[in-house]
Amino acid sequence: NDDYTSITENPDFTKCFQNTVLVWVPCIYLWVCFPIYFLYLRRHDRGYIQMSHLNKAKTALGLLLWIICWADLFYSFWERSQNVFRPPVFVISPTVLGITMLLATFLIQFERMKGVQSSGVMLIFWFTALLCATIIFRSKILHALKLVIDVFRYVTFYSYFVLVLIQLILSCFPERPPLFSETVNDSNPCPESSASFLSKITFWWITGLMIQGYRRPLEAKDLWSLNKDDTSGEVVQGLAKYWEKECANTNKQAIKMVYSPKKQTKSSNSNGDVTEEVEALIVKPSQRNSAPSLLKVLYKTFGPYFLMSFLFKACHDLMMFSGPEILKLLINFVNDKDAPNWQGYLYTGLLFACACLQTLILHQYFHICFVTGMRLKTAVIGAVYRKALVITNSARKTSTVGEIVNLMSVDAQRFMDLTTYINMIWSAPLQVILALYLLWQNLGPSVLAGVAVMILLVPVNAVMAMKTKTYQVAHMKSKDNRIKLMNEILNGIKVLKLYAWELAFKEKVLGIRQEELKVLKKSVALSTFAVYVLVDKNNVLDAQKAFVSLALFNILRFPLNILPMVISSMVQASVSLERLRLFLSHEELDPDSIIRGSIKDAEGSIIVKNATFSWSRNDPPSLNDINFTVPEGSLIAIVGQVGCGKSSLLSALLGEMDKREGYVAVKGSVAYVPQQAWIQNAALKDNIIFGREMKESQYKRVIEACALLPDIEILPSGDRTEIGEKGVNLSGGQKQRVSLARAVYCNTDVYLFDDPLSAVDAHVGKHIFDKVIGPKGILKNKTRILVTHGVSYLPLMDRIIVMTDGKISEMGSYQELLKQDGAFAEFLRTYANADQDEPEPGLLSNEKSICQVNNWSLQLSNSSTYSGETRKSLNQTSTTELQKAPAEKNAWKLTEADTAKTGRVKAIVYWEYMKSIGLLISFLSIFLFMCNHIAALASNYWLSLWTDDPVINGTQQHTHVRLGVYGALGMSQGIAVFGYSMAVSIGGIFASRHLHIDLLHNVLRSPMSFFERTPSGNLVNRFSKEIDTIDSVIPQIIKMFMGSLFNVIGACIIILLATPIAAIVIPPLGLVYFFVQRFYVATSRQLKRLESVSRSPVYSHFNETLLGVSVIRAFEEQTRFKLQSDLKVDENQKAYFPSIVANRWLAVRLECVGNCIVLFAALFAVIARHSLSPGLVGLSVSYSLQVTTYLNWLVRMTSELETNIVAVERVQEYSEMEKEAPWCIEQTAPPNSWPHEGQVEFRGYGLRYREDLDLVLKNINVTIKGGEKVGIVGRTGAGKSSLTLGLFRINESAEGEIIIDGVNVAKIGLHDLRFKITIIPQDPVLFSGSLRMNLDPFDKYSDEEIWTSLELAHLKNFVSSLPDKLNHECSEGGENLSVGQRQLVCLARALLRKSKILVLDEATAAVDLETDDLIQSTIRTQFEDCTVLTIAHRLNTIMDYERVIVLDKGEIVECDSPANLLQKKGIFYSMAKDSGLV
C-alpha cells in the first residue's frame, strides 16, 4: 500500500498496520527484556523500598490500563454476539496488550521489592507505547474529521493514550531510597544511585555539583562519598581473591614437584646444601610452564561490569552509519523536485533523533569504561600496597621504592587509559567493514584501490607497534631509575648540601634523563611517520563521486586514526601488566618459618635450634648455626663488633630473613625497636599509641618512663603536634624515644631492642635503662633482648650473647664470661678500664663506665643530619613563641599538604610552555596547521563544484583538471600534516627537557628549610607524574586540540557558504556552547587539582610504609595500614569520580548543541531546496555531521589541555620559591689555598630558623685558632648543632658574622665555602651507586688516594673482601652496609677531602667501642694540624681537647679547657657528673 503512505501530502498508515504492528511493538519489547531483567534483579538486590504515593499511583494506573484493554476485548466479544464480525486482530491485540500491562504492573512492584529507584526498562516501554499510540491517535483524528467513527473504541483508546502519557511522566521520577541502604547514614552520598533514569542517561544528577563549582572553587568537603562498588574495600578484595585462586591453580603443578624432596631431606637434616640444589632444579622448569596470568584475573574481576560497554558500543557503531544513509535519502530528495515536503522534514527529524540517541548511548559506554578504569587503578594500588607488606628482602632489592611507586602511579594510569580504548580493538574493524560495505554500494569496485592501500599498511603498523614496545620498555626503565635517584637525593638532601655535591648529582639525574628523551625522540619519529601514511591514504581515496562517500570516509578516518593509538596504548599496558605481574609474583615472607603464639612445651619464650639464616635464597647465609633459648622474663644482651650480625639476629627472630634450616619459636606477641627509628607522619600521640586503644594512665606512665615529658612540653601543640615525614621535626634522640615508647605502650610479651640507647644523651640513657629496660623497669617481667654497645649495662643482664661474624661465639652471664676469660673478657678489660685504674670491673666502675655507653648516646639534639630538622628542634624558646604567635599551631599543619591552586590557569603558563618549546617552532606549527586545514576545506569545496558539473553524453567535462587540482590539494595536506606533527613533537621534547632541567635546578637550589616543609611525596609526584605528563601527554593533546579547533571553524565556514541563512542559528548555538564550556571548566579544573593534591598522600603514605615495613610486620599492624592506604586512595578517587562524570555531563550537553547544528543545516537545506545544488547540500550536511564529533573533541581537548597544562604550572611553581645564596660568586671567590690556617672567628653571631621565631643562638663571640681542637657541649636544644648549621650557612645568620682566615663567609659562594670545610654528619647517608661514587662523586681523586682513605677509616679489609671492591653497588640508602660501616664510609669521605676545618657532629653513634677508639685516634693523627670542632654528647671524647665551649639556651656560658671548667663547678661539671666522669 505504498501510494497510500508515501506520495500524498498527508501520509497515514493502514488500519491493519495500526492495529497489529503499532500495538505489538511495545509488547514484544517488554517480553524480550523480561527474562533478562528478572534475573538481573534477582542477582542485584538493593534492599526494600516502602510503598509511596508514587508507587501506588503507578500500580493503580497499570491496573486501569489492563482493565481498559480487557474492556476492548469484551467489547469485541459483545460485538460478536451482536453478529458484527470484526477481523481476529480486534481480539488478539487487546489480549496481548492486556497481559503486557499486567506484566508491567508486576514489574513495578517487583522493582520496588528489589530496591530499584528508577527503571530504564519501564521508561523505555512507556515511551515506545506512547510513540506508537501517538501515530494511531493522529490517524484517528484524521478519520474523526471525516466522521467515520466507532465511539466505544475511540473512548477506550483516548483514555488509554492519556493513561500511558501519565505513566510515562510518573516513571521519570525516582522512588525514595531503599530501607537500610548505605546512603542513609552517609553525610554526602553520591546522588547517582537515587537519580532517575532520565537523569542518569543525561548525567543531570551532577548538575548540583557543577553549579557549586561555578559559584566558588570546590573544596574536598564538597565531594560525594564513593559508591560502595567503587570503594577500595570492595574492589581490592575482589582482585585479591581471584589472584590468590589463580596463583594457587598455577602453583598446584609446581607444588607437587617442589615440596616432596624438600621434606625428606629436611627430616634427615643432614645436608642443607643438597636440599637447596634439589629445590632449585625443580622449581625452574615449573615456573616456565605456567606463570599466573594477571590478565585473566583482571578479566574475572572487572569483566562482567565491563561487558555492558560492549553492548552500548555495538549499538553506537551501528547507529553511526544511519547518518550517511539518511544523508543519501536527503540528497535524493533535494534532487527530486516533485517529492512532497514532509519527506524532507521526516529525514531531518530522523537525522536529529539518531544523532541524539547516538550521543546518549556513547556516553553511557564511556561512563562504564571510565568507572572500570577507576576501579582498576584502585585495585592495582591496593594490590601493590598489600604485596609490598609481605615481600621478602631479596625481592625488595629487585624492586626499588622508585619502581614500586611507579607501579602505583604510571602503570596504574596506563590501565586506566586502556579501558577507554580497549573496545576499539573489535569496534574499529567493525566500523571499517561496515563503511566499506556501504561504500561498495555507493561506488562499486573502485573502493578496492583504497582497501588495498589499507591492507598494505597493516604490516607497517604492526612493525611500528613492535618497535614502540621496545622503546616503551626502555623509557619506563630510565624513568624508574630517575625516580629512584630523585628519591635518594630528596632523602639525603642535607648531606648533599653539606658536602656541596649538588652538581654531581644533578649531572647524574640529567644523564638518565638524556637516555629517557633519546627513547622518546625515536618513538616520536615513528609515530609521525605513521600519521603521515595514514593521512595520505585518505587522499588516495577521496576523489570519488559524492558526499555520502565523504561522510563514510570521515567515519572511516576515525577508527583508522585511532587504531595506532589503541595499539600503542595496548603495548604500554602490556608492558605495565608484565611489570605488575612480576611484582605481584615476588616471593613472600614465609609466615610459618617462625612459630609464633603459645608453645606447649614452654622451655622458654624464644627457642632457636640449629638455625641458619640468609637475607635471600641465593645469598650465602649471614647467620650460621644459631642455638639459644631465652627463658621467660629474662633480659639478654647481644654484643659484638660492627657488622657481626647483631641486627640480623633480631631480624631473623622477626621472620624477616630466609630461614635455611633449623627451628625457631617465639612465644606470644612481639614489639620491636629498630636501630634507626621509624616515625610516621602523624601526631606524636598516634605514633606512640600505634593503633592500640588509648589508656590514659598507661600512656602517661610510658611517656614518663621514656623521658618524653620535657620534649612534649617543648612541642608547639604538645603530644598532638604533627610530626613531619621520617620524623623531621624531632631530633634523633627524640625519635628513638618515641620509637621506644611505641613498643612499651603496646605491652607485648617479647621485646627486641636494636640498640635504642645509642641515640640519646648519657643521663637520658641511664634513665631509660632504669625505668624501662632494666631489672627494675616497666618491662621487668617481659622477655627482653637488647643489642647494645654500652659496657656499663652488661653486669645487670641475665645473660650475654657475644657474636662474631654471624655466629654466637660465647654465651653466659657477665660473671661466667669473665671467668671464661675469652674474647669478651679481653674486650671488657680494654674498655672498662680505659679511664679508671680499677682492676675489677665491678659495679663501681660500672657507674664510671656509663660514659662508655654513651659512646653512643647521641641525643641527636637539634640535628639529625639528614632529615635536618634543626629548625624544629623547638628550643626552649619556642614556648614563648607560642604565646607570641597563636597562629603557630596552624603553621605546624600547613607544612604538610600539597596545595591546590584555584581559578583559571593563567595565560602566562601557556606562554611559558611556548617559550620552552621555542617561539619559532611554536609559530611554525600553528602555520602548518592552518595550511593543512585550508587545503582540506578547499579540496572538499572543489569536490562539491565538481559533483555539480553538468553531465554531457554520460561523462563530465574537465575531469582531468578537477582531478589534478584535487590531487594537488590532497598532497599538500599530507605534507602539512607531516610537518606539524614533527614540529609539535620535537617542540614537546625541547619543552620537557627544558622544564625538567629547570625543575631539578630549582629544587636543588632550594634552602634546607624548603625540604623540611615539603613532604618528599610531593616532590616525587612532581618528578614522576608531572614530568611524565609534560613528556608524553601534552604534545599529543596540543595536536588534537589544534586539529579539532580548525575542524570546527572549517565546518562552520562551509555551512555558512552553503546555506547563508544558517548565520542566524550558529552564533546563538556558539554562545550556548561557550557558556556550557566555561561553566564546566571551572568545576573540572578544580576537581583535577583536588585529585592531583589528594594523590600525593597516597604516595607519601606508601613510601612511609616501605620504610617501616619491618616495624609494621613486627607489631602485626598490617591490617590497619591497609585500611589507611585504602582510605587515602578513596579520598583520591572521590575527586576523580566527579571529574569523569563532569566530562560526560559536558559531552552530552555539547553534542546536543552539535546535533542542533545538524538539525538546522538539514532543515535550511530542505526549506531552500529549490535554490540549492545537491553538491552544496551534501557538503554542508556531511560537514555538520562531523561537527558533533569535533565539538566534543574540542571541549575535551580544551579541558584536557587546561588540566594537563597544570603540570607545567606545578613544575614552574618551584622556580618562584626562595633560593639559597648563589653557589659560586666570581668576584669574591677566595684563593685556592684558603683557608691556610683554619682560624674560625664568631663575631656577635646570632641565628634564627624562621623570620617569626626567636633567636636560637645569640651574641656568640669566640675565636678558635688554627689547628685547635674544640669541643662543643650543652644540653639538648642548647643550640650545638645550630652552630654548625650556621658555619655551613645551611641557615643564614640573623646578626653578626663568621670569619675564617680573614674571609667573611657570608660574602662568598656556598660551594666555595662548603668545599673547604668538612663535616662528618650524625646519620650516615649513602646513595645508591658504587662505593667509589659515594666517596668521590666528582671523580677528583685517584684510586690510590681512595684506598688510603679507606685504610685510615679501617674499611680496607672489608672493601677488599667485596667481589667488586670499589665498584661495590650500595643499595638504596646504603641498606646493604650496616649502620656502623656507613659511619666509617662517612669518615673516609672526610679523610679524602682533607680540608683545614673538620666538624664532627658526634659521629660515632653506631660504632662499637673498639672502632670508636680507632676513629678518634685516626682523627687525632690525620687531622693534627686542622681545626676540629666536635659536638660531643659523650664527654670522654673531648676531655683531652684544648678547649670546651658550653652552650646553654643559645648563649655561650663557659669556655675554657676541660680541667679548668671542672674546677669551676659550673654546668660542665654537672654534666660530667651525670656521665660519671667525676
Side-chain angles (χ1 to χ4, degrees), residues 729-801:
N729 41 355
L730 294 180
S731 69
Q734 287 167 330
K735 281 195 268 195
Q736 197 63 63
R737 295 202 298 274
V738 170
S739 173
L740 190 69
R742 173 194 303 155
V744 179
Y745 186 83
C746 280
N747 193 16
T748 54
D749 306 328
V750 178
Y751 282 85
L752 306 177
F753 297 112
D754 196 348
D755 205 6
L757 300 172
S758 68
V760 294
D761 277 348
H763 54 288
V764 180
K766 187 159 174 286
H767 170 95
I768 287 177
F769 188 80
D770 295 344
K771 285 280 203 296
V772 182
I773 304 174
K776 300 196 185 62
I778 297 188
L779 306 176
K780 55 177 178 286
N781 306 323
K782 312 278 190 187
T783 310
R784 294 141 298 169
I785 296 189
L786 173 70
V787 170
T788 183
H789 295 137
V791 183
S792 56
Y793 302 133
L794 298 180
L796 303 172
M797 300 291 173
D798 299 337
R799 184 170 329 159
I800 297 166
I801 295 176

Side-chain angles (χ1 to χ4, degrees), residues 888-1059:
E888 270 302 76
K889 271 197 190 171
N890 267 350
W892 286 102
K893 289 286 182 200
L894 285 180
T895 55
E896 302 305 331
D898 199 349
T899 48
K901 292 198 170 180
T902 48
R904 289 197 64 168
V905 177
K906 311 259 185 318
I908 188 88
V909 178
Y910 295 101
W911 182 241
E912 282 293 335
Y913 186 70
M914 279 177 71
K915 272 203 308 217
S916 45
I917 291 182
L919 293 180
L920 179 69
I921 295 186
S922 310
F923 288 121
L924 178 70
S925 47
I926 290 176
F927 176 69
L928 286 169
F929 262 113
M930 299 273 297
C931 295
N932 173 33
H933 284 282
I934 290 170
L937 284 179
S939 64
N940 284 339
Y941 191 67
W942 187 254
L943 192 64
S944 82
L945 294 176
W946 182 3
T947 43
D948 289 339
D949 272 355
V951 178
I952 301 171
N953 307 337
T955 59
Q956 289 178 320
Q957 283 138 348
H958 329 301
T959 310
H960 292 294
V961 181
R962 294 285 192 202
L963 197 58
V965 173
Y966 190 74
L969 285 169
M971 283 301 293
S972 58
Q973 215 176 326
I975 292 165
V977 168
F978 187 71
Y980 78 68
S981 266
M982 211 59 202
V984 171
S985 304
I986 286 187
I989 288 182
F990 283 167
S992 71
R993 167 144 81 245
H994 187 91
L995 289 169
H996 179 259
I997 291 179
D998 272 5
L999 172 65
L1000 183 61
H1001 184 72
N1002 287 328
V1003 166
L1004 289 178
R1005 280 289 320 277
S1006 303
M1008 219 31 243
S1009 55
F1010 167 76
F1011 295 98
E1012 289 155 17
R1013 275 201 312 270
T1014 317
S1016 59
N1018 298 1
L1019 288 166
V1020 172
N1021 199 356
R1022 296 281 195 282
F1023 276 101
S1024 65
K1025 195 80 181 72
E1026 318 291 5
I1027 290 286
D1028 185 48
T1029 306
I1030 294 174
D1031 278 357
S1032 40
V1033 182
I1034 293 184
Q1036 297 301 328
I1037 288 180
I1038 286 184
K1039 267 191 262 190
M1040 290 186 187
F1041 170 74
M1042 301 290 282
S1044 323
L1045 179 69
F1046 282 117
N1047 274 328
V1048 170
I1049 295 172
C1052 289
I1053 292 174
I1054 288 280
I1055 293 173
L1056 286 174
L1057 280 177
T1059 48

